[in-house]
Amino acid sequence: MLALTRTWKLLSVGMLVALLATRVSASGAVGDHVNALSEHVDEYTEEVVWLIGKIDGIISTYETKGSVAAGTDAIVDHWEAVDFHSAIETHYIPLYASIWQGLFAVKTAIDEGKPEADVRATQASLESVLWQSLGAVKVAAQYQERGLLPEYTATSADSPTETIDVIKQRLDRVLAKYAEQLPEQARNIATAAYAEQFESIEDEIEKRDAELTEDLEVDFNVRLPEAIDAGVSVDALRDLVLAMQAKLNQAKTLLSE
C-alpha cells in the first residue's frame, strides 16, 4: 500500500494530459469495463496484487529449484489473463509498454540463470511500474466520472492536426508491440501509420517545412524499421519514438498556423 501511495503521488499534471491524449485501438477484444473504470478499480487492484504474487511465486521457485522448474512462460500468461491488461493498454500506452518490458526483464533474468539479487531487482522495477499503472487507471476513472474522458472507441481523425495525434498514438502502439516482443506487428503498425496517415498530410507539412517533412520520412522509412529489425533495446526504441513525436508536434504547430 505504501508503494501505491508513493507512485500515486508521482502522477504529474503532464501525465494526466498524456493520459487523455493517448487513446488508441487495442488489439484483440477489449471489455466494456474500460468505459466504466471506476466500477472496476477494486478488481484491478486485486488483479495487480494477484499478479505480483504469482510472479513472486515463480521467482521463489527459481531460487529453490532452478529456471526450468520456474516455468517463466506463465509470467506472460498471468498478465494477459487479467482485465487490468486492457485497462492500461487502452488508457496509457507508454506505461503498458513499460509493463511488458518489466515482464520480459524478469523472464529473461530467470531464463538466463541470473543471480537471485538481479532477479529480485527486476521484480522490484516491475512492481513499481504496475503500481504506477494502477494509479494512471485510477486517474482515468476520475476523468471518466467527470465526463472528461471520451468513451473508448477506435481512433479516427477529422483534420490534419487530429491526424498528427493519431500518428503519435500509433507510434505508442509500435513501442508497446515491440515491448511485447512482437517486432513484426510493431513494424506493420509503423508502416500503416506512414501509409494511411502521414502520407495524407505530407504535402501540407512540406509546404510549411520541407526539411522537417524529409526528416520524418527518413524516420518512418529508414530509422524506425531499421531499429526494429536490429532488435535494439526497448529504451532505445522509446527514445526514437519520442524524437519522432517531438517532430510531429512541430508539424502540428505548423498545420495549426
Side-chain angles (χ1 to χ4, degrees), residues 20-197:
L20 293 174
T22 315
R23 299 184 55 75
V24 298
S25 175
S27 60
V30 175
D32 292 338
H33 65 94
V34 300
N35 288 320
L37 296 176
S38 60
E39 298 175 13
H40 298 273
V41 166
D42 289 344
E43 174 190 334
Y44 300 146
T45 303
E46 292 173 0
E47 289 179 338
V48 169
V49 171
W50 175 84
L51 181 62
I52 286 174
K54 286 293 186 180
I55 293 173
D56 185 69
I58 290 171
I59 295 173
S60 295
T61 300
Y62 167 66
E63 292 172 339
T64 58
K65 298 181 181 180
S67 58
V68 175
T72 57
D73 287 345
I75 292 175
V76 173
D77 294 338
H78 292 325
W79 165 239
E80 293 183 334
V82 296
D83 284 343
F84 182 67
H85 175 279
S86 55
I88 190 64
E89 182 181 14
T90 55
H91 291 286
Y92 201 61
I93 281 288
L95 282 177
Y96 176 75
S98 295
I99 290 173
W100 276 102
Q101 186 177 5
L103 292 168
F104 279 109
V106 172
K107 185 180 187 306
T108 301
I110 294 175
D111 290 344
E112 294 181 351
K114 298 292 185 182
E116 294 174 9
D118 291 352
V119 177
R120 289 296 181 182
T122 61
Q123 177 189 16
S125 297
L126 172 60
E127 289 181 7
S128 178
V129 75
L130 283 170
W131 288 122
Q132 188 179 6
S133 299
L134 180 62
V137 170
K138 286 185 175 182
V139 174
Q142 293 178 0
Y143 273 81
Q144 274 187 345
E145 287 188 319
R146 294 162 59 187
L148 299 176
L149 196 61
E151 182 173 337
Y152 169 76
T153 58
T155 304
S156 60
D158 298 320
S159 68
T161 54
E162 288 182 6
T163 300
I164 293 287
D165 291 333
V166 173
I167 296 170
K168 289 167 59 183
Q169 291 166 8
R170 286 203 166 194
L171 288 174
D172 281 332
R173 293 288 294 159
V174 169
L175 179 61
K177 288 303 174 186
Y178 190 77
E180 289 182 50
Q181 297 192 355
L182 297 171
E184 185 175 351
Q185 290 190 31
R187 209 180 194 286
N188 290 341
I189 293 170
T191 299
Y194 178 80
E196 297 172 10
Q197 273 83 41

Side-chain angles (χ1 to χ4, degrees), residues 192-242:
Y194 178 80
E196 297 172 10
Q197 273 83 41
F198 185 77
E199 284 195 330
S200 70
I201 58 173
E202 182 177 358
D203 289 345
E204 292 301 315
I205 300 173
E206 188 173 18
K207 291 176 184 177
R208 295 159 174 80
D209 192 326
E211 186 175 344
L212 176 61
T213 305
E214 182 178 346
D215 198 20
L216 281 166
E217 286 182 325
V218 173
D219 280 337
F220 275 109
N221 296 301
V222 181
R223 298 186 186 109
L224 187 57
E226 283 187 350
I228 293 172
D229 292 344
V232 300
S233 68
V234 175
D235 287 336
L237 194 72
R238 179 183 286 110
D239 289 342
L240 177 56
V241 165
L242 289 174

